[in-house]
Amino acid sequence: RMVLADQSVFPDAQELLPHIDVVITDYSSIYVDFLLLDRPVMFFPYDRDQYEQERGFTFDYDATTPGPHVSSATEFTSELEAYFENPAKDSAKRIEVRDLFHEHQDGKSVKRILENMAEG
């Protein structure tokens, strides 16, 4: 089952992430948080050249998007089926990128923030 999860349906996407098997996105950074779950991510950068010229990327798109970049319905279906058959596909790359973006992965970020506020 696929659900379009834009802000009008899910104002806080963070609450939705634990219930998702695969994130499919174009350029949204939501996948960076999803990497903490080590679940598949697919990218559909349908207008990449235009996006790159108009908005640009903060990071190297190819190096920091650990999953297939699909450009057709056939590729999309094929890659999605591959992930359902083997969710660990691309896991090593996901972990590499996760570690690049997430220094702390222990679920204690709020505790650290509160401790820092108390000290400061």
Side-chain angles (χ1 to χ4, degrees), residues 20-35:
I20 296 175
D21 295 316
V22 179
V23 160
I24 303 161
T25 186
D26 48 9
Y27 316 108
S28 170
S29 63
I30 192 71
Y31 80 93
V32 173
D33 293 332
F34 193 67
L35 291 174

Side-chain angles (χ1 to χ4, degrees), residues 11-79:
D12 184 359
Q14 300 301 321
E15 294 178 10
L16 180 64
L17 293 181
H19 308 286
I20 296 175
D21 295 316
V22 179
V23 160
I24 303 161
T25 186
D26 48 9
Y27 316 108
S28 170
S29 63
I30 192 71
Y31 80 93
V32 173
D33 293 332
F34 193 67
L35 291 174
L36 290 167
L37 301 173
D38 191 24
R39 295 184 190 158
V41 181
M42 290 176 54
F43 300 89
F44 209 126
Y46 60 93
D47 63 346
R48 181 177 174 175
D49 291 338
Q50 179 182 353
Y51 186 92
E52 197 161 15
Q53 287 177 359
E54 291 178 9
R55 297 200 51 185
F57 295 108
T58 304
F59 300 98
D60 180 316
Y61 185 76
D62 293 316
T64 59
T65 50
H69 298 180
V70 298
S71 59
S72 70
T74 302
E75 282 182 302
F76 173 81
T77 302
S78 175
E79 292 293 346

